Amino acid sequence: MNAPIICLVFLILTLTNAFSFASNKTLYASVPAFPPFNGFIENKLCTGINKLAIQAVTKDLPVRLDFSSYPYARILHSLQAGELDLALILKNNQLNNDIIYIGPLSFIEIVLITPSHINLQRYEDLHQLKKIAVIRNAQFDLKFDHDSQLNKVSVDSYEQAIKLFEAQRVDGVIGSKIGLEYALHRQNMKKEFIDNAFPVGKHELGIHLAKKSPFVALVPLLTNAVKRLYQENFLYQLYQYQINHCLPQQVLSQLPTLNKMPS
């Protein structure tokens, strides 16, 4: 038997064993423990966008999903300890030794909002901000993440960050456009904060699969699924779709017009 055939047989046997093993197991997954990633406050039956994305990636795999909504720091710890199989979060290099990264599945716009009287024109202008709220242990931008001259205030959710912002306890909040847009809406604050936000950049969103997970044999299938689904704005499309289909009409009427997710 020649080498290519041997490799093919080995791959088939590996995947067959993976199907057999995984069909009897539950894959434990986690998403950030705040909306709209784990759900929508207005409608408890409306699935969070990170959950939807994981379901899309794994829908053809022989696995049962069990979701947990963990604070960001706990997601990282649980992946390192092997207590979680998989998480869908912004690419985090702290986990390089403990996970297999599969991505990108999407890119996320990272923005920084400030009060209307503060006009940021370039990155160096961030140093005029007294305090910037940042999700604990999240990585948004290489330059920002390692900038020790900035006074960063750790928070556990975008809602907490926006409440601090509204109370003028911080004068900047950095994060995903999706998360900040939704948190501002929940606090009945102006959409102009997003429209006038300083664009920090775009950050990769991908699957983080724990190396200690029994599902590592499914990496080829997960990789193919992620490649098939990849779109630069995939997560924002899911957000738009849920906004249009899940929120009560009285809530929907208060939001800016959003396009439906393309079929």
Side-chain angles (χ1 to χ4, degrees), residues 8-73:
L8 178 61
V9 171
F10 177 78
L11 177 61
I12 292 173
L13 288 174
T14 299
L15 295 180
T16 301
N17 289 337
F19 275 114
S20 176
F21 179 79
S23 64
N24 298 317
K25 296 289 184 179
T26 298
L27 188 152
Y28 294 96
S30 186
V31 299
F34 43 85
F37 308 105
N38 68 338
F40 287 79
I41 296 172
E42 298 87 346
N43 186 343
K44 301 299 183 183
L45 299 179
C46 189
T47 306
I49 56 177
N50 279 41
K51 286 186 177 181
L52 280 177
I54 292 176
Q55 289 171 351
V57 169
T58 61
K59 74 180 183 69
D60 294 326
L61 303 184
V63 297
R64 295 189 302 272
L65 291 174
D66 188 311
F67 282 107
S68 297
S69 294
Y70 288 162
Y72 215 89

Side-chain angles (χ1 to χ4, degrees), residues 167-237:
Q168 300 181 12
R169 293 174 60 187
V170 299
D171 54 358
V173 181
I174 191 172
S176 76
K177 179 182 177 182
I178 296 172
L180 290 173
E181 185 176 309
Y182 184 75
L184 284 166
H185 161 69
R186 289 297 306 163
Q187 295 302 118
N188 295 312
M189 296 179 70
K190 294 180 180 178
K191 181 179 176 289
E192 282 75 11
F193 285 116
I194 287 292
D195 295 336
N196 300 324
F198 178 76
V200 178
K202 294 186 178 181
H203 197 113
E204 246 181 87
L205 179 85
I207 296 293
H208 293 61
L209 180 68
K211 288 183 178 179
K212 295 180 180 179
S213 169
F215 291 92
V216 292
L218 294 180
V219 166
L221 298 181
L222 287 167
T223 301
N224 288 338
V226 168
K227 287 181 178 179
R228 174 174 51 82
L229 290 168
Y230 167 76
Q231 292 183 58
E232 184 172 342
N233 63 342
F234 179 62
L235 206 72
Y236 195 73
Q237 288 186 60

